[in-house]
């Protein structure tokens, strides 16, 4: 990641590159390395790109801004659902759509998008990993919810275990 970051910073300083894409990539690097302020700054500069908007929503969710997370999630959901209609086998669109559903707290819908992708590509490691992450996030959301029915958590656990 350090080498990628150094290369992107040099490209930024040198000019002549697509700034939105460069800011998105640097934002992703900063996000992966836990530097949220720098990630937010770069992603905001790439705000016309929907993957950047998705990451901004994820940062908002992590910082407790549920309203912003849901808002970004809805815009991204609409965008990537449309993209996926025209390219149903595109794993990237499918991943982004599932992540948008998660931002909105729509875990079952996210899993449906992922499972549909796994029908097309059963051995896709990215989709399988994302599915595990969605179950983990769903369980965490149930733990935080004050009025979760007792059958909620075991049902999600069972569903996750059956999926794998």
């Amino acid at each position: 990641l350090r080498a990628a970051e150094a290369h992107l910073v040099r490209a930024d300083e040198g000019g002549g590159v697509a700034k939105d894409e460069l800011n998105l990539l640097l934002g992703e690097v900063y996000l992966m390395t836990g530097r949220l302020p720098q990630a937010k700054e770069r992603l905001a500069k790439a705000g016309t790109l929907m993957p950047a908007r998705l990451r901004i929503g994820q940062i908002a969710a992590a910082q407790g801004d549920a309203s912003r997370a849901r808002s970004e999630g809805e815009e991204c959901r609409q965008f990537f659902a449309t993209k996926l209609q025209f390219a149903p086998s595109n794993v990237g669109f499918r991943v982004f759509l599932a992540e948008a559903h998660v931002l909105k707290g729509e875990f079952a819908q996210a899993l449906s998008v992922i499972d549909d992708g796994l029908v097309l590509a059963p051995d896709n490691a990215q989709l399988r990993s994302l599915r595990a992450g969605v179950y983990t996030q769903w369980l965490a959301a149930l733990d935080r919810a004050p009025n979760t029915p007792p059958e909620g958590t075991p049902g999600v656990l069972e569903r996750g275990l059956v999926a794998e």
Side-chain angles (χ1 to χ4, degrees):
L1 281 176
R2 280 188 226 143
E5 178 183 352
H7 176 74
L8 291 168
V9 168
R10 279 194 308 276
D12 188 29
E13 292 167 351
V17 295
K19 289 292 186 178
D20 284 350
E21 287 82 0
L22 184 130
N23 283 314
L24 172 61
L25 291 172
L26 270 170
E28 293 272 6
V29 168
Y30 294 147
L31 196 56
M32 285 188 268
T33 56
R35 294 178 280 172
L36 292 184
Q38 294 95 328
K40 282 174 70 172
E41 179 184 335
R42 287 296 182 156
L43 292 168
K45 290 179 181 178
T48 61
L49 299 177
M50 291 311 274
R53 300 276 307 275
L54 185 63
R55 298 297 178 246
I56 288 168
Q58 290 168 331
I59 292 170
Q63 294 179 331
D65 188 349
S67 175
R68 173 89 188 261
R70 281 190 302 276
S71 172
E72 296 290 355
E74 178 56 24
E75 287 200 36
C76 292
R77 186 202 60 76
Q78 291 175 17
F79 180 83
F80 288 113
T82 300
K83 289 287 193 185
L84 199 57
Q85 287 177 347
F86 295 100
S89 62
N90 185 305
V91 172
F93 293 157
R94 195 166 291 284
V95 167
F96 290 139
L97 178 57
E99 289 177 341
H101 279 299
V102 169
L103 273 180
K104 296 180 65 195
E106 298 171 345
F107 300 101
Q109 293 90 329
L111 290 167
S112 177
V113 168
I114 294 165
D115 290 341
D116 289 349
L118 286 168
V119 168
L120 299 170
D123 296 325
N124 186 288
Q126 186 178 17
L127 290 173
R128 293 177 71 82
S129 175
L130 181 60
R131 180 172 60 185
V134 170
Y135 277 113
T136 301
Q137 291 176 37
W138 194 356
L139 288 169
L142 287 173
D143 282 346
R144 289 189 304 269
N147 298 320
T148 300
E151 67 277 0
T153 299
V156 171
L157 278 171
E158 179 182 2
R159 187 173 166 181
L161 292 171
V162 168
E164 286 304 313

